Amino acid sequence: SQQGEEDPQALSIQEGENATMNCSYKTSINNLQWYRQNSGRGLVHLILIRSNEREKHSGRLRVTLDTSKKSSSLLITASRAADTASYFCATDYRETSGSRLTFGEGTQLTVNP
Amino acid sequence: KAGVTQTPRYLIKTRGQQVTLSCSPISGHRSVSWYQQTPGQGLQFLFEYFSETQRNKGNFPGRFSGRQFSNSRSEMNVSTLELGDSALYLCASSLKWGTYNSPLHFGNGTRLTVT
């Protein structure tokens, strides 16, 4: 099963508004990453937050991490039409066969001009 | 520095055939991971290679295999294709394997359609 789950599945907002996406995960992690994917393309890394960090900023992006609730949120401020994409959280998932980076189902963000 | 390159970009195959996809990582990156992306299952981990050795494998049947060459380029092969194998196959490279404290760098994928 997926390690991470994003919420909501889809989000539609107007340009200039803020967009918030949430991610929940199941097991303890060392870090959590957020990626963006434009339609039919590869994923692009946005930000990485370590388990001992609570908040991180990068330009218009703000990520929070609550390890007690096993959840993270990605906030995009002052959104633009170019922010239209799918957003995924990814966590390092450890099992007996080794580690892997596992991705949630993603949030489809549409920013209307 | 060139990014991750995947070839071909699009592929159409018939059920029962086999297919080979190629991935060239960023120069200096020795780890290559493969993912299958479908609308229903999302991003599913296939396998990860580092220094020509498979380090981890996802829950896919044996029809899915891969390899890595000494120059870190990687190929994945799917034999006896099924309709359900239609997907976007993504390759990602990184410097290390097994620890995910740095980003994965993805290619733009190979879109495989099985008819």
Side-chain angles (χ1 to χ4, degrees), chain A residues 2 31 33 35 37 39-45 48 50 88 91-95 97-105, chain B residues 9 35 37 40-45 48 55-59 88 90 98-104 106-109 111:
Chain A
Q2 294 286 2
N31 59 70
Q33 303 182 37
Y35 287 80
Q37 183 181 35
S39 180
R41 312 279 290 182
L43 280 73
V44 175
H45 180 261
L48 180 152
R50 304 187 194 285
F88 296 87
T91 56
D92 55 333
Y93 177 59
R94 300 185 188 285
E95 54 183 12
S97 62
S99 300
R100 64 186 67 173
L101 199 64
T102 61
F103 291 82
E105 300 284 341
Chain B
R9 187 77 175 89
Y35 289 82
Q37 186 177 30
Q41 298 296 318
L43 278 150
Q44 300 285 323
F45 173 79
E48 180 176 13
R55 303 293 175 161
N56 200 356
K57 189 178 190 302
N59 298 322
L88 181 66
L90 292 163
T99 59
Y100 300 99
N101 53 11
S102 59
L104 291 186
F106 283 83
N108 281 324
R111 171 73 64 185

Side-chain angles (χ1 to χ4, degrees), chain A residues 8-32:
Chain A
Q9 286 190 320
L11 181 61
S12 182
I13 59 174
Q14 297 298 123
E15 233 176 1
E17 294 181 337
N18 295 341
T20 299
M21 288 157 270
N22 302 297
C23 167
S24 59
Y25 55 92
K26 298 174 184 174
T27 64
S28 63
I29 60 172
N30 290 314
N31 59 70
L32 185 144

Side-chain angles (χ1 to χ4, degrees), chain B residues 60-100:
Chain B
F60 279 81
R63 301 184 296 107
F64 291 81
S65 63
R67 60 178 176 169
Q68 187 180 34
F69 302 94
S70 59
N71 61 358
S72 295
R73 190 178 71 85
S74 178
E75 289 181 348
M76 66 162 282
N77 184 277
V78 188
S79 62
T80 320
L81 284 165
E82 300 177 359
L83 294 179
D85 297 334
S86 293
L88 181 66
Y89 289 87
L90 292 163
C91 160
S93 75
S94 60
L95 283 168
K96 305 177 190 176
W97 73 277
T99 59
Y100 300 99

Side-chain angles (χ1 to χ4, degrees), chain A:
Chain A
S1 62
Q2 294 286 2
Q3 161 76 324
E5 293 182 3
E6 282 94 340
D7 166 59
Q9 286 190 320
L11 181 61
S12 182
I13 59 174
Q14 297 298 123
E15 233 176 1
E17 294 181 337
N18 295 341
T20 299
M21 288 157 270
N22 302 297
C23 167
S24 59
Y25 55 92
K26 298 174 184 174
T27 64
S28 63
I29 60 172
N30 290 314
N31 59 70
L32 185 144
Q33 303 182 37
W34 285 90
Y35 287 80
R36 182 188 75 224
Q37 183 181 35
N38 290 89
S39 180
R41 312 279 290 182
L43 280 73
V44 175
H45 180 261
L46 295 175
I47 200 164
L48 180 152
I49 186 166
R50 304 187 194 285
S51 59
N52 61 355
E53 297 175 311
R54 291 297 167 259
E55 188 171 310
K56 203 159 182 180
H57 296 254
S58 177
R60 293 184 296 113
L61 305 180
R62 172 179 168 249
V63 167
T64 61
L65 179 64
D66 187 334
T67 53
S68 66
K69 295 181 179 177
K70 291 187 170 61
S71 68
S72 174
S73 67
L74 169 67
L75 168 68
I76 304 174
T77 60
S79 63
R80 306 165 182 167
D83 295 328
T84 294
S86 292
Y87 291 82
F88 296 87
C89 68
T91 56
D92 55 333
Y93 177 59
R94 300 185 188 285
E95 54 183 12
T96 51
S97 62
S99 300
R100 64 186 67 173
L101 199 64
T102 61
F103 291 82
E105 300 284 341
T107 292
Q108 172 61 53
L109 172 66
T110 302
V111 182
N112 301 299

